[in-house]
Amino acid sequence: MPEEEAARSPKQVLKARTQELDNWKKNASRIRSKNLVTGLCIGAFVIGIFGYTILSVKQERILDEIDDEARSRIIRGPRTGANS
């Protein structure tokens, strides 16, 4: 690219750079909107995985508590009129 610029006149180089800048300006909003959509999708995916993980851990704790209650009731034995 530098050899091509050296072979061109300064006016041609300026015109080419101006055209590049115009193309970037035209495409910037489209690229920015695509990046925004991609970012939102990734964010939604991460939040979904986080929510699922929290929910499954909460369910594990509840199941552990139920198991602890069941173990304690088994150890204590059935409630009868004699031991209540």
Side-chain angles (χ1 to χ4, degrees):
M1 187 98 175
E3 296 102 20
E4 292 175 7
E5 288 184 9
R8 293 195 237 169
S9 71
K11 286 185 180 181
Q12 289 174 334
V13 172
L14 181 62
K15 184 177 179 184
R17 288 189 179 175
T18 305
Q19 287 175 345
E20 280 183 35
L21 183 62
D22 289 341
N23 285 337
W24 275 104
K25 285 180 181 177
K26 276 191 247 177
N27 295 329
S29 65
R30 190 179 77 218
I31 292 171
R32 196 172 297 123
S33 64
K34 285 183 178 181
N35 287 346
L36 178 67
V37 169
T38 302
L40 290 174
C41 288
I42 291 171
F45 180 73
V46 168
I47 289 172
I49 289 176
F50 178 75
Y52 175 76
T53 304
I54 295 299
L55 181 66
S56 66
V57 168
K58 186 188 280 187
Q59 286 178 349
E60 274 185 33
R61 285 188 193 155
I62 291 171
L63 290 175
D64 288 343
E65 289 174 7
I66 291 172
D67 288 344
D68 290 342
E69 283 182 30
R71 262 189 236 114
S72 67
R73 287 184 188 243
I74 290 172
I75 291 171
R76 282 189 289 167
R79 295 189 76 177
T80 62
N83 66 1
S84 56

